[in-house]
Amino acid sequence: MTTVSLGMPRLPAAGVPDVRLPADRPATGGLLDRFGRVATDLRVSLTDRCNLRCTYCMPAEGLPTLPKDSVMTREEIVRLVGIATSELGVRQVRFTGGEPLLRRDLVEIVAECAALPHRPELSLTTNAVGLDSRAAALREAGLDRVNISLDTLDPDTFATLARRPFLARTLAGIDAAAREFDLVKINAVLVRGVNLDHAAELLSWCLERGFELRFIEQMPLDADHAWDRAAMVTAAEVREQLGTRFALEPDEEPRDGAPAERFVVRDLDGAPHGRRRGRVGIIASVTEPFCDDCRRTRLTAEGGVRDCLFAHTETDLLGPLRAGADDAVLADLWRGAMWAKQAGHGMSDSGSGTDLDSSGFTQPERTMSAIGG
Ligand code: SAM
């Protein structure tokens, strides 16, 4: 629903915030911030619930779940994605969570977003538990890509990290994704003393299947607040670890705002490894942040806009939407939220490495599972 302005001042309805424009913020256009970045990549969290309890994300006992009526419905999600794509220039939408496969209406959400007039590229981040029975329907509904989280191929280590013995279910989901989608990306988090020395084996397995593996540095977004700068596995260590088995060369292709630094992978004797020209990505959010090139905006499962994973504030869109705000008002609230984005996430100081104490960084209240990773 788009409202055409008649040139008359619009009075906010009860419950709809009155958007007051800062003098220097453009009233129309995309999701621009004060540092000239434009967000075109939207992450939508479909639920805060998850069927795993990964140690670096959730506590063993889980987190209190959101009341059902505070989570966006399918219609609300599709309406906000529609505003993002038709009014705000968003081109890519990734569904995440929590675990998005726990939404029974996931296929319908994908289908309705794929039918929007400004169809975005649609992708899903998932642990793949249960994907085996839904991958075909998701592709038919219009899903373009999947990223699957897999930290190890060892069942015991999987059960230690995810606190659930579900490796076989995840692998079944990956097989189904490989049948249905052209490109499967795998995300892995390495934890010292647990799966760091599984990195090269995981890469070999991915290359042999034509999957693109990306290692993500562990970020301080865990519920237990156990993240420790000194203990986390850095991107430099990942490169070193992979270097024991592979030769990595920086990829010549432009990074183009992507968070992962990519490398072409060969065996140590220079021969290609695997089915395709193999690549690996390393996402160094902590030690080599890429905030200058960030193009991301996020919606939590409760319909709050977050301009950064590490933000301490959110802008509620769901309350105003339910109170009757029109598309123009919601778009402007979203623009205002992104305008306030900070220059960086605050974890690194002066490019000399990362020092949480000296930068005054404080961990956000919400965990990765509650924000939507
Ligand atoms: N449940 C889905 C999944 O497992 O992919 C989607 C949500 S999960 C929060 C998204 C991604 O965030 C996963 O790849 C997970 O490994 C990653 N993640 C969670 N906590 C993290 C942390 N503290 N640091 C880095 N990555 C994290």
Side-chain angles (χ1 to χ4, degrees):
M1 174 195 1
T2 306
T3 306
V4 177
S5 166
L6 299 176
M8 293 157 68
R10 201 174 37 225
L11 293 176
V16 178
D18 186 4
V19 179
R20 292 186 200 283
L21 197 64
D24 48 350
R25 176 165 77 78
T28 56
L31 294 171
L32 179 69
D33 70 32
R34 293 164 299 152
F35 304 94
R37 296 166 297 192
V38 180
T40 53
D41 174 355
L42 167 63
R43 300 267 155 130
V44 185
S45 175
L46 299 182
T47 175
D48 59 324
R49 292 181 303 126
C50 193
N51 41 9
L52 302 185
R53 294 285 178 272
C54 299
T55 53
Y56 47 76
C57 189
M58 285 180 108
E61 66 281 11
L63 290 165
T65 50
L66 293 169
K68 194 163 181 276
D69 63 359
S70 66
V71 173
M72 289 187 289
T73 63
R74 168 163 51 103
E75 292 77 11
E76 289 163 345
I77 292 164
V78 176
R79 176 150 173 228
L80 290 175
V81 170
I83 293 171
T85 50
S86 60
E87 314 241 344
L88 298 170
V90 163
R91 298 282 163 263
Q92 287 151 345
V93 175
R94 172 175 297 279
F95 300 112
T96 181
E99 176 44 52
L101 288 172
L102 294 182
R103 284 267 324 211
R104 289 212 192 105
D105 54 359
L106 177 62
V107 171
E108 290 78 12
I109 292 171
V110 170
E112 289 178 28
C113 288
L116 287 167
H118 295 83
R119 186 202 196 284
E121 181 188 271
L122 295 168
S123 57
L124 179 73
T125 297
T126 173
N127 60 35
V129 174
L131 184 59
D132 50 344
S133 60
R134 294 170 90 188
L138 285 165
R139 184 189 44 76
E140 276 160 30
L143 191 71
D144 297 302
R145 292 195 289 119
V146 279
N147 283 23
I148 297 175
S149 305
L150 175 70
D151 298 330
T152 176
L153 293 163
D154 176 67
D156 295 334
T157 312
F158 186 101
T160 302
L161 270 175
R163 299 191 182 106
R164 295 287 183 274
F166 290 168
L167 175 65
R169 296 171 72 180
T170 289
L171 293 179
I174 293 176
D175 281 347
R179 281 195 297 276
E180 299 296 337
F181 296 94
D182 291 339
L183 178 62
V184 173
K185 289 192 179 176
I186 304 286
N187 292 340
V189 175
L190 295 176
V191 179
R192 191 177 308 288
V194 184
N195 65 338
L196 174 57
D197 55 355
H198 301 199
E201 189 202 347
L202 190 58
L203 176 56
S204 173
W205 185 86
C206 287
L207 292 172
E208 280 157 18
R209 285 158 184 78
F211 303 155
E212 188 165 318
L213 174 62
R214 299 168 339 148
F215 291 100
I216 310 174
E217 274 183 348
Q218 190 184 338
M219 294 178 269
L221 291 168
D222 56 318
D224 297 331
H225 287 238
W227 184 90
D228 175 4
R229 169 73 184 87
M232 67 164 271
V233 175
T234 64
E237 278 179 279
V238 179
R239 291 192 289 266
E240 198 180 310
Q241 184 69 221
L242 297 178
T244 58
R245 187 136 154 220
F246 297 103
L248 304 188
E249 260 173 48
D251 194 353
E252 304 277 288
E253 275 181 32
R255 197 158 158 181
D256 201 23
E261 187 180 7
R262 293 169 93 216
F263 298 87
V264 175
V265 187
R266 293 202 175 76
D267 283 332
L268 287 176
D269 63 6
H273 189 105
R275 296 205 322 231
R276 298 186 194 187
R277 187 167 178 253
R279 287 195 176 76
V280 65
I282 303 180
I283 304 184
S285 321
V286 178
T287 61
E288 298 158 29
F290 35 86
C291 303
D292 287 353
D293 292 322
C294 181
R295 296 182 190 171
R296 213 158 271 172
T297 181
R298 295 173 185 275
L299 266 183
T300 66
E302 294 160 287
V305 176
R306 288 181 75 92
D307 57 28
C308 172
L309 269 178
F310 298 98
H312 289 276
T313 55
E314 287 173 13
T315 300
D316 178 32
L317 296 188
L318 189 56
L321 182 157
R322 288 182 178 174
D326 64 27
D327 286 5
V329 167
L330 294 169
D332 211 45
L333 284 168
W334 206 326
R335 282 190 201 98
M338 294 307 294
W339 183 252
K341 184 176 171 103
Q342 299 296 311
H345 58 34
M347 268 190 286
S348 51
D349 55 358
S350 68
S352 59
T354 304
D355 181 345
L356 292 186
D357 296 332
S358 67
S359 65
F361 174 89
T362 49
Q363 181 168 339
E365 295 245 315
R366 280 187 190 261
T367 64
M368 188 70 130
S369 65
I371 297 168

